[in-house]
Amino acid sequence: MHLYLSKNDKLKARSNHSILKSFKAKKISKIGLSCVLGLVASQSIQTSVRSIVINDTATEQTAIEIGSPLTAVTDILFFDEDEDGFVSKCTGSLIAENYILTAQHCFDPLSGEVSPEDLTVRFRDENNAFLEDIAVSEISFLDETFNLYDGTDIAFLKLAEDAPESIDPLKLFGGDPDELIGSNATLVGFGLRGLGSEGVDEELIESEFDQNGLRWGAENTIDVVDGVFDPDLSVLFDSNIIELDFDDDNSSTNTLVSLGSSPVPLENEGSGAVGDSGGPLLVEKNDELLIVGVLTGGLFPTSEFGNIFDYTGVSKYRDAIEKLGGQFVGDFVMEEPEATDDIQNGSFEEGLSGWSIIGAAGSPTDLGTPTSDGESDALIYNDLIAVSDYEIEEFLGLTAGSLENLSGRFPFEGSAIKQTFTANAGDMVSFDFNFLTDELAAEDFGEEMFNDFSFVSLSGADTYLDLLADTSSDFVPSDTYFFNETGYQSFYYEIRETGTYTLGFGVADAEEFTGFSGLLVDNVALVSTPEPTTTIGLFATVFGAFSLLKRKRKQFQ
C-alpha cells in the first residue's frame, strides 16, 4: 500500500490489488502489501450476493456473461500452507501455447518467496466449468524492481505443458497507445466482488476470499495512457500506465475530471479490485479483443465509486513478449528522442515532451504555486514511482556513488529527467528551480539524517554535478501539498567544451522514505555564444550579460 500523509494529516492510500492471505507482508514497504483479484461494478439495487451488479436492471449474471467467454483469462492458484492446498490469488492471460501473462507484484518477495512448484494455473471453459490445472515450470520478470507504478509490473509464467487445445491465446494491442484514450475496454478477473456504493468488504480483504472460481467481467472507459495521476498533487506522472476511474454519474466521484474524464458511466461500468491483479484490460479492434494492459493497482483498497485503477501497458515490451510466442496486432513503433542543437520544450508548455524520465515526473495541473515562465513547469517527485540511486546515476551518465558523495547521505530513492543537446564552448545553460519538501529540517534532529536534496547534472564533454537545494536551504511556507518551498530561483552554468551533453535534474530521498520532496523546474534555456562576425556593439552587450550571469552563479554557490 502506498501511504500519503497530506497536510491535513488524513491518511491517503494507493493499493495494489493482490493482498495475498498466505503471503502477507511482514512490514509495509514503499511498494506496499501484495493482493488478490475481484471486480466491483456499478449498481443501484442491493442483493444478498456480494458480486458485480451492473445497474438497476441487470444482475450478477451480466458480469458472468461478460467474463465467461474469455477462456484465455486464467485463475492463478498459490499453495497455501494454512489451507494445505492451492487457492486463487491472481489472474493471468494465455498469450502463447505455454505462457501466461500476469503481474510481477503477485510474486513480490516481501510477501514471501514464491517458486514455480508453489503455483498452478486453472483453465475454465466458456461456461466457467473447470477444464484443467497445469503446473508452472518457470517464473520470469522484466526486471527485479517490484515497483508497482514504474511501468514494469509484468510477469510471465511458463506452463509445464501446453494449454488445452480448446483455448486460443489472446493477442495483444500493437497500435499507437495514444489512440486508446476514450476507448471502451473490458476488464476480467477472479476473486472478491462488491457493490460500487460500498466497495469490497474490508473484512474479506483481511481474512477469507470469495473462492467460487467464476470468471467475471465489467466495462470501463480508458481515461489516461502513459501516466499515473496523483489526486493530492494534481500531477500526472509519466509512466507506462493506463488509468481508468469508476464513475456513477456523480461529479464528486469523477476522480480524473481534471484530465477530461466524463462522470457518465457505461452501462456495465466496473472497477478492478482486490483479487484482479494480473488480469487483462482488453479493447476491441476489428471484432477482436486485444490485451492493452495488466492490472497493477488502484487508489482505494475497497474499490468503491471514485476508484482510480491502473494497468501496466504491454506495447512497450513487444520484443520480450513476441520471443515467448505472443502475437501483436498493429506495427506502431515509438521513436526515441535524439540529440538536438538546442534545448527543446524548456518551459514545459508541452508537458514533458522532449524529455526522458526515470521515476516520478510530470507537469502539474494545479499544484498551488506559480510557474516561473509560461503556464506550465515540471515536477520531479521522490515518491510513488521513485527509483534507486544507481538507476538515476546510470540514467544521467554519472559515476556510481556520485549522488551519495554530493549529499553526504545515502540517497534511498529518487527521480530525474534529462535531455540531450549539442553546445559550443561558452554557451550558457540557464534554468529556474523551486525545491519543495515535507521533510523535517536537519536542525529538528540535530543532524542531517533526513536531508532530502535536489540537484542538476551535466554529462558529456564537460561533466558537472551540483546541489540545488536540500532541507538546510531557506524556505517559505508553501500553498501546495508540501509544507515548505524555496520559491523559484535562477541557476546558470557556462559550457567549457564544445560537444554533446545530457542535462539532468533530480530529487532524492535521503536514508529513508517518510518525508516527500519535489523539484519544480522551468524556463530551461541554452544561450548560444555569438559568432565571431557579430558586431562589436552586440558582442559587448552579450559579454556584459555573461559576466553578470557568472557573478550571479558565483553568488549562488
Side-chain angles (χ1 to χ4, degrees):
M1 178 184 297
H2 285 295
L3 300 178
Y4 300 99
L5 194 60
S6 66
K7 295 182 76 171
N8 60 8
D9 292 335
K10 290 182 179 178
L11 193 63
K12 306 288 183 179
R14 190 160 196 138
S15 62
N16 67 336
H17 289 142
S18 65
I19 301 174
L20 303 181
K21 174 185 174 186
S22 60
F23 300 102
K24 286 186 178 178
K26 296 180 180 179
K27 60 179 180 179
I28 294 180
S29 70
K30 196 83 187 263
I31 40 182
L33 301 175
S34 299
C35 301
V36 206
L37 320 179
L39 295 168
V40 180
S42 164
Q43 65 86 42
S44 60
I45 59 171
Q46 298 279 343
T47 72
S48 60
V49 180
R50 297 191 63 79
S51 59
I52 295 180
V53 181
I54 306 304
N55 53 42
D56 59 354
T57 56
T59 66
E60 62 194 57
Q61 188 60 36
T62 303
I64 296 175
E65 290 173 357
I66 293 174
S68 292
L70 300 171
T71 57
V73 180
T74 65
D75 197 359
I76 300 175
L77 283 64
F78 289 60
F79 185 78
D80 190 314
E81 293 182 356
D82 295 337
E83 300 291 337
D84 193 25
F86 287 91
V87 295
S88 174
K89 300 295 183 182
C90 285
T91 295
S93 301
L94 183 71
I95 58 169
E97 290 182 347
N98 62 338
Y99 273 99
I100 300 293
L101 172 68
T102 186
Q104 182 191 51
H105 73 258
C106 291
F107 315 98
D108 190 340
L110 287 175
S111 302
E113 294 293 338
V114 180
S115 60
E117 54 266 27
D118 295 324
L119 304 172
T120 187
V121 176
R122 177 162 294 172
F123 292 87
R124 292 181 175 273
D125 65 16
E126 64 277 6
N127 298 313
N128 260 326
F130 172 79
L131 275 179
E132 185 178 358
D133 284 345
I134 298 181
V136 173
S137 62
E138 182 180 313
I139 308 171
S140 58
F141 310 125
L142 296 168
D143 62 19
E144 298 292 335
T145 62
F146 292 91
N147 189 324
L148 283 180
Y149 295 101
D150 69 351
T152 64
D153 187 30
I154 297 286
F156 305 102
L157 306 182
K158 185 177 182 180
L159 301 176
E161 58 184 271
D162 289 351
E165 292 183 0
S166 60
I167 297 181
D168 294 325
L170 286 167
K171 296 179 182 179
L172 302 97
F173 177 76
D176 185 350
D178 288 340
E179 296 177 359
L180 296 173
I181 298 176
S183 298
N184 292 345
T186 300
L187 41 146
V188 192
F190 297 84
L192 286 182
R193 289 162 293 280
L195 306 176
S197 57
E198 300 175 6
V200 171
D201 188 334
E202 292 191 75
E203 292 184 2
L204 292 177
I205 295 177
E206 296 299 331
S207 57
E208 300 297 329
F209 298 110
D210 182 0
Q211 302 284 347
N212 65 6
L214 297 182
R215 183 171 47 244
W216 293 55
E219 298 172 347
N220 208 302
T221 301
I222 295 175
D223 295 307
V224 175
V225 171
D226 288 336
V228 178
F229 183 69
D230 189 313
D232 290 323
L233 295 171
S234 294
V235 177
L236 180 65
F237 292 107
D238 285 39
S239 187
N240 179 40
I241 296 292
I242 299 168
E243 290 198 320
L244 311 88
D245 65 1
F246 190 11
D247 297 310
D248 66 342
D249 208 11
N250 186 330
S251 59
S252 65
T253 56
N254 185 23
T255 326
L256 295 174
V257 62
S258 63
L259 302 178
S261 172
S262 169
V264 180
L266 298 179
E267 181 180 3
N268 300 332
E269 182 103 0
S271 168
V274 173
D276 291 318
S277 289
L281 183 67
L282 305 163
V283 295
E284 185 173 337
K285 298 293 181 181
N286 299 322
D287 299 323
E288 184 175 22
L289 286 174
L290 306 174
I291 302 174
V292 298
V294 169
L295 185 59
T296 286
L299 184 63
F300 303 143
T302 53
S303 299
E304 67 266 27
F305 289 130
N307 184 41
I308 300 174
F309 52 112
D310 313 285
Y311 287 79
T312 297
V314 297
S315 297
K316 183 177 179 179
Y317 307 113
R318 180 169 186 153
D319 290 346
I321 293 172
E322 286 182 334
K323 288 179 181 179
L324 302 179
Q327 296 183 47
F328 281 78
V329 176
D331 54 4
F332 177 78
V333 178
M334 181 70 70
E335 295 182 359
E336 294 293 331
E338 297 180 356
T340 63
D341 57 1
D342 197 2
I343 293 175
Q344 306 297 308
N345 189 30
S347 289
F348 303 97
E349 300 303 309
E350 301 176 13
L352 271 74
S353 174
W355 295 83
S356 298
I357 301 165
I358 190 168
S363 185
T365 58
D366 185 23
L367 187 59
T369 190
T371 64
S372 168
D373 180 59
E375 297 182 358
S376 299
D377 47 13
L379 175 67
I380 310 167
Y381 188 42
N382 67 359
D383 188 48
L384 190 62
I385 47 178
V387 300
S388 65
D389 61 324
Y390 66 83
E391 291 177 271
I392 295 174
E393 289 164 347
E394 182 179 8
F395 174 76
L396 296 176
L398 303 174
T399 57
S402 295
L403 295 180
E404 185 171 0
N405 293 335
L406 175 68
S407 66
R409 287 289 181 268
F410 172 64
F412 180 81
E413 61 181 355
S415 304
I417 65 174
K418 70 177 182 180
Q419 186 173 142
T420 300
F421 61 96
T422 58
N424 296 318
D427 288 354
M428 191 73 66
V429 175
S430 66
F431 60 89
D432 301 328
F433 72 92
N434 181 4
F435 180 63
L436 310 95
T437 187
D438 281 343
E439 192 66 271
L440 297 173
E443 56 266 24
D444 294 329
F445 287 94
E447 57 180 333
E448 297 180 357
M449 179 178 179
F450 305 121
N451 192 14
D452 288 5
F453 63 96
S454 58
F455 61 91
V456 58
S457 69
L458 196 68
S459 60
D462 180 13
T463 300
Y464 179 76
L465 177 64
D466 203 357
L467 197 70
L468 293 175
D470 59 18
T471 57
S472 299
S473 299
D474 294 330
F475 290 101
V476 296
S478 179
D479 293 328
T480 70
Y481 169 83
F482 301 92
F483 290 119
N484 301 306
E485 63 179 273
T486 60
Y488 264 111
Q489 302 179 32
S490 297
F491 191 94
Y492 310 88
Y493 180 79
E494 182 178 342
I495 300 293
R496 294 180 293 185
E497 295 184 30
T498 298
T500 299
Y501 291 90
T502 295
L503 174 66
F505 302 101
V507 62
D509 228 336
E511 300 294 346
E512 46 67 65
F513 54 76
T514 56
F516 306 135
S517 299
L519 175 68
L520 285 170
V521 180
D522 202 359
N523 197 24
V524 185
L526 178 67
V527 181
S528 298
T529 304
E531 296 294 330
T533 56
T534 304
T535 62
I536 295 176
L538 179 60
F539 176 82
T541 301
V542 175
F543 179 81
F546 277 8
S547 298
L548 176 61
L549 295 182
K550 290 180 181 179
R551 289 197 298 273
K552 286 185 176 181
R553 181 171 177 272
K554 289 180 179 179
Q555 292 171 1
F556 179 83
Q557 290 178 321

